[in-house]
């Protein structure tokens, strides 16, 4: 299992920013879902390139499997 870290920053205006370090795919959003529910409404969300990394790898594997079985 890979170690993941959630970095939380609270600005002077009360804005809370969170960033998942060493997370890929939807594990980032799954990891922070409980925290976000407790804090209230999420006003915006910026997904980092790591979020899409797993999806790209899965798509490549599916393409290879389909190609090999044809």
């Amino acid at each position: 299992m890979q170690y993941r870290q959630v970095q939380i920053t609270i600005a002077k205006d009360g804005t809370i920013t969170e960033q998942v370090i060493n997370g890929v795919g939807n594990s980032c959003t799954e990891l922070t879902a409980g925290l976000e529910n407790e804090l209230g409404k999420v006003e915006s969300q910026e997904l980092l390139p790591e979020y899409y990394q797993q999806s790209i790898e899965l798509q490549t594997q599916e393409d290879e499997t389909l190609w090999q079985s044809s």
Side-chain angles (χ1 to χ4, degrees):
M1 186 161 113
Q2 185 177 9
Y3 172 78
R4 292 174 297 198
Q5 178 181 352
V6 179
Q7 179 179 332
I8 298 173
T9 306
I10 303 174
K12 290 180 181 180
D13 67 357
T15 303
I16 299 171
T17 305
E18 61 185 25
Q19 180 178 0
V20 177
I21 300 167
N22 293 330
V24 294
N26 64 350
S27 68
C28 301
T29 53
E30 290 174 355
L31 181 64
T32 59
L35 177 63
E36 292 169 356
N37 285 336
E38 293 297 319
L39 291 174
K41 179 183 173 191
V42 175
E43 293 188 12
S44 67
Q45 183 178 54
E46 178 185 341
L47 301 174
L48 301 175
E50 291 85 355
Y51 178 83
Y52 302 100
Q53 184 177 352
Q54 184 178 13
S55 297
I56 293 169
E57 290 174 6
L58 288 175
Q59 183 64 43
T60 301
Q61 290 173 355
E62 288 175 6
D63 289 347
E64 289 175 1
T65 302
L66 290 173
W67 182 77
Q68 291 173 354
S69 62
S70 297

